[in-house]
Amino acid sequence: MKKLLRAILSLCLIAACIFGLLSVYGGFQDVLNIQDYKTADGDQAKEGIEMARDGLAQLMENETTYTEGVATYNDGLVQLADGRRQLAEGEAQLADGKQQIADNTDRYNEGKALLEQIDPIMPYVQQYIQWRDSGLASAPGFSTFQQWFVSVVAPVISSVGLEIPSDVSDFPGWFNAYVEDGHAQLKEYEDGLVQIAEGEVQLADGRAQLADGEKQLADGDAQLKVFEDGEAQIADGMNQLIEGMAADTRYRSGEVITKSLAERLGPDWQLYVLNEDGSRKQYRGVDFVNFENCVKLCDEGEKFLEESEANITAEMMKRIATMACMGIASVLGLIAGILGLIAAFSNKRKNGFGFGLWGTIISCAGIIVGLLTKWRDQAYQIRDAAGNYTYTYDAQVKAIIILACVLALFTLVSAIARKSAPKKVKGASKSADQIYASAVSDHSKDAEIARLREELADLRAKKPDTYKE
């Protein structure tokens, strides 16, 4: 029954050691996982900080150019709006002028045709004036100028549809005024046509200038957007750094071992420039980034990464120390278990006690290291491909405790079994012939010793000074 109990205990030790070795393997895999993703995240963060510094340097270098460009752009918007208003007014005036021309085209054509018909009357009017001014009493061949006018001129005037008012006493004066007024109206119409043509040219020039102004503003807007896009990228990068650099806290106690970036910056830190009333300063509706605060964020981010790397390395080394103890203890325990299993059925004194004792000592040393390093309160978890975090270190903690307990029990039982095992008797396993030969040999030796003693006694008798007792 005792042999069976020792065999079962040895098998339990072997199983505990195998579990310990598997836990060591899993623990080292966890360490590599944490080290890999933390290193990758840190490298990515460092690269982001470096890119942010380069972007900040460019933005700070071009800040004055940007603010001056915003002022120029706003002035251009005012000028463009004024130009559009003037162009709209010019187009309205041109449309009115065209409408007036269209409304007066028929009258112009009629007046022009009438004046063309009146032109043949002009020689009669001039003749009338010449005779009148020469002092003649009447027109040649007529008793009076009136008779001549009624007989010769009036029919011509009536033929063109011109009616002479009844109250006209000075026909030449009225006629010349009528013709001059007709030509003036025609000229006004023709001047309107010229003005419309000139207006078309001016509007075309205005549209071209307006288009050029719009292009310049578009180019200016594009240049300003480069700066504003840079601000937006910087703002996004800063927010990502703040979110990514969260505090490292111990798993159960919540003790902060690495302060978050937000805590390092403090509550007064602002990503954007604020006005006196606390509102965000804006240009063109875009929040203006506080570049000096961003530089401070980059500095604090680098300090965070340095401290976090130191904390990660420290914790991983503590884990490795504990798992190294568990690995060595598992190997020693495995040897002890195998020897104990053999001894259980052969009743040998060598039952793995020594290996078990050293395994117990080393596993207990691992537990002590774990307790001193708060192994039940580690900070870092493994991360899978999907980005999920899992705390797995409890498995190593349980494994080394189980291993130490099983080793201690095995060592205790092995010590008891070792004391109760029969000691090996010299010659107990010899055959009968060997025992006889040994006895004969021993008898021969006794005879030889007796002979030598006799010779020594004779020599002492002859030379007592030389051979003394």
Side-chain angles (χ1 to χ4, degrees):
M1 186 66 181
K2 292 182 178 179
K3 292 182 178 181
L4 179 61
L5 180 62
R6 289 170 56 192
I8 293 174
L9 184 59
S10 298
L11 290 173
C12 290
L13 178 59
I14 293 172
C17 292
I18 293 173
F19 178 66
L21 291 174
L22 292 175
S23 297
V24 169
Y25 175 78
F28 276 106
Q29 292 297 315
D30 291 349
V31 168
L32 293 176
N33 176 281
I34 294 170
Q35 199 70 38
D36 287 346
Y37 85 75
K38 284 291 185 180
T39 300
D41 291 350
D43 292 342
Q44 185 177 1
K46 289 176 183 178
E47 183 179 353
I49 290 174
E50 189 64 28
M51 292 177 62
R53 287 192 183 279
D54 293 340
L56 282 170
Q58 294 180 359
L59 290 174
M60 294 172 73
E61 181 180 351
N62 295 315
E63 181 178 359
T64 301
T65 303
Y66 171 76
T67 54
E68 292 176 351
V70 170
T72 302
Y73 179 80
N74 290 335
D75 291 341
L77 287 177
V78 173
Q79 294 174 4
L80 183 64
D82 186 61
R84 286 172 175 166
R85 179 185 57 78
Q86 292 179 4
L87 182 64
E89 292 176 354
E91 289 176 341
Q93 292 175 0
L94 183 64
D96 291 341
K98 287 182 176 180
Q99 187 61 44
Q100 291 179 7
I101 291 295
D103 293 341
N104 294 317
T105 298
D106 292 341
R107 291 179 58 193
Y108 170 79
N109 292 331
E110 292 173 358
K112 186 176 181 181
L114 180 60
L115 288 177
E116 289 176 353
Q117 293 176 352
I118 290 175
D119 286 340
I121 304 174
M122 294 303 296
Y124 293 102
V125 176
Q126 296 298 327
Q127 184 65 55
Y128 178 84
I129 294 171
Q130 183 180 1
W131 285 343
R132 185 194 62 182
D133 294 342
S134 66
L136 294 175
S138 61
F142 296 89
S143 59
T144 61
F145 286 112
Q146 182 66 23
Q147 186 181 6
W148 173 80
F149 183 82
V150 172
S151 299
V152 177
V153 180
V156 177
I157 292 175
S158 298
S159 66
V160 298
L162 184 63
E163 297 182 359
I164 301 173
S166 59
D167 60 346
V168 172
S169 58
D170 182 8
F171 171 73
W174 173 86
F175 188 80
N176 286 332
Y178 180 84
V179 173
E180 289 176 0
D181 182 62
H183 281 292
Q185 291 182 17
L186 293 179
K187 187 176 184 303
E188 181 179 357
Y189 179 88
E190 293 166 351
D191 289 344
L193 291 175
V194 173
Q195 291 176 357
I196 288 174
E198 292 175 350
E200 292 281 9
V201 174
Q202 292 177 355
L203 285 176
D205 292 340
R207 291 189 185 97
Q209 293 176 2
L210 195 63
D212 185 62
E214 289 175 343
K215 183 179 182 304
Q216 291 180 2
L217 279 178
D219 293 341
D221 178 70
Q223 293 175 358
L224 294 175
K225 280 185 176 179
V226 172
F227 187 92
E228 292 162 356
D229 290 344
E231 281 191 295
Q233 292 175 1
I234 286 293
D236 289 342
M238 297 299 102
N239 287 325
Q240 289 177 7
L241 286 175
I242 292 174
E243 292 175 0
M245 295 184 181
D248 289 330
T249 56
R250 296 201 179 278
Y251 181 66
R252 290 179 175 84
S253 69
E255 175 191 352
V256 176
I257 59 174
T258 307
K259 288 197 304 183
S260 68
L261 185 55
E263 291 175 318
R264 293 168 184 271
L265 294 171
D268 296 331
W269 185 88
Q270 293 288 335
L271 178 58
Y272 299 99
V273 178
L274 300 182
N275 297 315
E276 294 181 356
D277 60 356
S279 61
R280 292 181 181 179
K281 185 176 182 179
Q282 291 186 336
Y283 287 99
R284 303 196 327 144
V286 178
D287 295 332
F288 199 75
V289 173
N290 191 320
F291 300 132
E292 293 181 357
N293 281 357
C294 290
V295 172
K296 180 181 178 182
L297 184 146
C298 291
D299 294 338
E300 292 299 328
E302 290 178 344
K303 293 179 182 177
F304 173 91
L305 291 175
E306 292 174 359
E307 184 176 334
S308 180
E309 288 174 358
N311 290 334
I312 293 169
T313 301
E315 181 170 313
M316 294 304 105
M317 293 303 296
K318 294 171 184 176
R319 290 193 184 190
I320 290 172
T322 302
M323 287 185 293
C325 290
M326 182 165 59
I328 296 172
S330 296
V331 173
L332 293 174
L334 191 61
I335 297 172
I338 294 172
L339 292 176
L341 189 62
I342 294 172
F345 294 102
S346 63
N347 202 28
K348 290 185 177 181
R349 289 176 59 84
K350 292 182 179 180
N351 56 5
F353 168 76
F355 289 102
L357 179 61
W358 278 109
T360 302
I361 294 171
I362 294 174
S363 61
C364 289
I367 293 174
I368 293 172
V369 171
L371 291 173
L372 293 176
T373 57
K374 299 180 180 180
W375 64 357
R376 293 278 293 168
D377 208 16
Q378 299 289 332
Y380 300 102
Q381 307 175 59
I382 65 170
R383 185 174 73 186
D384 60 20
N388 299 316
Y389 292 87
T390 307
Y391 189 80
T392 59
Y393 195 58
D394 284 347
Q396 284 80 45
V397 174
K398 294 175 182 177
I400 194 169
I401 293 174
I402 293 172
L403 178 64
C405 292
V406 175
L407 275 169
L409 180 61
F410 174 86
T411 303
L412 178 62
V413 172
S414 297
I416 296 172
R418 191 165 178 263
K419 288 183 178 180
S420 62
K423 293 183 179 180
K424 183 177 179 181
V425 179
K426 186 176 181 182
S429 61
K430 292 182 179 180
S431 64
D433 294 337
Q434 289 175 330
I435 294 174
Y436 177 77
S438 176
V440 171
S441 175
D442 290 340
H443 177 74
S444 299
K445 287 178 180 178
D446 291 340
E448 182 65 20
I449 290 171
R451 186 183 63 79
L452 290 174
R453 283 178 178 174
E454 290 178 358
E455 291 180 357
L456 180 60
D458 293 339
L459 290 172
R460 283 177 179 171
K462 295 177 179 178
K463 297 180 179 180
D465 296 331
T466 303
Y467 299 98
K468 297 181 179 179
E469 290 290 340

